Amino acid sequence: MYTQAMDVGPREERKAVRSTAEAELEARFDARIDDGGLIEAKDWMPDHYRKTLVRQISQHAHSEIVGMLPEGNWATRAPTLKRKAILLAKIQDEGGHGLYLYAAAETLGTSRDQLLDALHSGKAKYSSIFNYSTLSWADIGVIGWLVDGAAIMNQVPLTRCSYAPYARAMVRICREESFHQRQGYDSLLVMMQKGTDAQKAMVQDAVNRWWWPSLMMFGPPDSESTHSATSMRWGIKRIGNDDLRQKFIDATAQQAQVLGVSLPDPLLKWNEARGHYDFGPIDWSEFWRVVGGHGPCNAERLAARVKAWDDGAWVRDAALAHARKQSTQKEAA
Ligand code: FAQ
């Protein structure tokens, strides 16, 4: 009856005890997830859950700050003071979203420097959508309407994510994203209703270029998604990639009619039996090319982020020197 204890060395014994304890912790964790409970930073969690969250939250944070770049390109060329003020506020919001999200990722034990190193070295991903160019002012309206629209569709379920610090960050982010979507739609509506023929054509051209990349924001089909099944099991993702994409298409197809633009998909058609719009095939080879670093602007976006980081070194040094001086003064007092 003592076989186990007598046959194994102290190391194996410790391992066995640890794994029993871990199995209990994991069972408790699973039960809490099944009950719809929330996990806080101080709670025990499986390594894989932690890693999945760091991956997703940091990719999300990187997307927000890289996402400032395509719009930043138009900050000096907005057509009116009102549109410029709105655009600047929106870009600033996105910087703020990045900061909440980096802070949420840091609660999982990975430092901001590690997260940014991964972005700057090209190891970490960010949303494929931000590797496309903003060629005209209409692109800025279309980013608000379609890109922020897709972002909200994907992010509202994340306010119910099982990891509480991420869920809390998402509540605030979604409120701001919904304003972003509406300002984009409003700017397009003005161009479509009061604009010249050239302005209307500019809107249609922007919609043609951004439609398919916006659908790709939701990630690969569920059948090819690496993480969906596990993330859904853990309550990180509440709705799968395909269902979210469909919800987005259903909502947007109707908004396009009000706007007076056509969506560049000849197969887009309401299907009464399904209660959804049918749509044409997505070019997943383009998606993987962009995700793999070979989209139209990948190199430019990464270079801009690395430059911003390098140019900001003196600010970080100055802040650290100031903090050191203050703590020395406090000690001396
Ligand atoms: N781009 O197994 P899944 C915004 C990768 S914020 C690049 O299905 P998952 C605000 C994925 O990482 C937009 N990579 O992955 C704004 C994985 O690779 P890995 C960002 C993508 O995580 C608006 C592989 O493919 N939003 O727009 C993409 O379960 C305007 C297999 O995929 C978020 O990040 C993609 N589109 O589902 C700012 C929301 N899709 O990591 C400025 C939070 C997939 O194994 C202006 N994130 N991949 O190397 C999520 O909900 C999920 O991470 C998904 C992907 C749905 C994006």
Side-chain angles (χ1 to χ4, degrees):
M1 70 182 182
Y2 298 115
T3 348
Q4 265 192 334
M6 286 164 74
D7 284 356
V8 295
R11 215 165 137 221
E12 282 77 7
E13 212 176 300
R14 270 204 310 274
K15 219 161 121 191
V17 171
R18 200 171 49 232
S19 58
T20 314
E22 254 178 36
E24 270 169 27
L25 287 166
E26 189 149 0
R28 242 183 279 160
F29 171 89
D30 286 342
R32 193 185 301 183
I33 295 278
D34 290 345
D35 282 354
L38 294 174
I39 309 296
E40 292 289 347
K42 62 181 181 350
D43 294 334
W44 185 91
M45 62 187 83
D47 276 351
H48 191 183
Y49 178 82
R50 186 184 298 276
K51 276 193 195 130
T52 300
L53 282 165
V54 171
R55 181 190 61 79
Q56 177 168 324
I57 302 172
S58 62
Q59 284 178 6
H60 193 166
H62 300 328
S63 303
E64 296 281 357
I65 60 162
V66 176
M68 297 164 78
L69 298 170
E71 292 175 313
N73 192 26
W74 281 88
T76 54
R77 290 177 288 162
T80 64
L81 181 60
K82 175 181 139 187
R83 294 290 170 200
K84 185 179 173 116
I86 292 173
L87 181 59
L88 288 174
K90 178 179 191 294
I91 297 170
Q92 211 169 327
D93 283 354
E94 280 144 11
H97 298 173
L99 296 184
Y100 313 150
L101 290 164
Y102 283 124
E106 282 178 295
T107 62
L108 291 153
T110 307
S111 72
R112 178 96 45 120
D113 283 349
Q114 286 172 302
L115 300 171
L116 288 171
D117 269 355
L119 173 67
H120 298 154
S121 64
K123 263 191 258 152
K125 291 190 170 69
Y126 57 85
S127 183
S128 49
I129 194 75
F130 301 118
N131 293 306
Y132 292 86
S133 310
T134 38
L135 302 180
S136 75
W137 172 251
D139 288 30
I140 299 305
V142 169
I143 288 181
W145 175 38
L146 295 181
V147 176
D148 285 280
I152 300 170
M153 197 57 90
N154 163 269
Q155 292 174 12
V156 167
L158 293 174
T159 61
R160 292 182 291 111
C161 171
S162 60
Y163 186 57
Y166 189 25
R168 285 192 286 266
M170 289 318 301
V171 171
R172 186 155 170 191
I173 291 176
C174 284
R175 284 199 192 118
E176 292 175 354
E177 297 287 20
S178 109
F179 161 78
H180 292 175
Q181 195 266 356
R182 278 182 287 153
Q183 68 77 35
Y185 194 72
D186 171 74
S187 123
L188 297 177
L189 209 51
V190 169
M191 278 193 269
M192 291 304 291
Q193 290 180 346
K194 299 190 185 151
T196 61
D197 285 349
Q199 285 168 327
K200 289 178 194 169
M202 194 165 78
V203 174
Q204 184 61 60
D205 172 64
V207 171
N208 293 348
R209 284 181 288 106
W210 288 90
W211 173 248
W212 293 106
S214 300
L215 300 189
M216 294 174 195
M217 284 177 72
F218 296 93
D222 292 343
S223 56
E224 288 166 37
S225 163
T226 325
H227 308 286
S228 273
T230 320
S231 291
M232 303 263 289
R233 159 74 192 89
W234 277 332
I236 295 174
K237 282 164 90 163
R238 297 286 180 185
I239 307 182
N241 301 356
D242 290 328
D243 284 348
L244 283 171
R245 191 170 7 254
Q246 181 73 64
K247 274 161 80 82
F248 173 73
I249 292 169
D250 291 348
T252 315
Q254 289 170 9
Q255 293 164 3
Q257 284 169 14
V258 176
L259 204 51
V261 293
S262 60
L263 295 172
D265 178 356
L267 299 177
L268 187 74
K269 195 167 180 282
W270 177 251
N271 181 327
E272 194 62 48
R274 285 203 315 122
H276 292 291
Y277 278 87
D278 288 338
F279 55 97
I282 294 173
D283 180 358
W284 290 111
S285 63
E286 172 180 329
F287 170 77
W288 290 117
R289 207 168 45 248
V290 176
V291 171
H294 306 290
C297 299
N298 294 61
E300 185 186 327
R301 300 287 184 244
L302 205 54
R305 282 310 323 164
V306 171
K307 182 173 182 317
W309 177 253
D310 291 345
D311 289 352
W314 70 271
V315 181
R316 295 189 296 278
D317 291 345
L320 283 173
H322 181 65
R324 266 195 304 271
K325 196 167 145 194
Q326 277 196 322
S327 81
T328 320
Q329 279 169 351
K330 215 186 259 173
E331 274 166 29

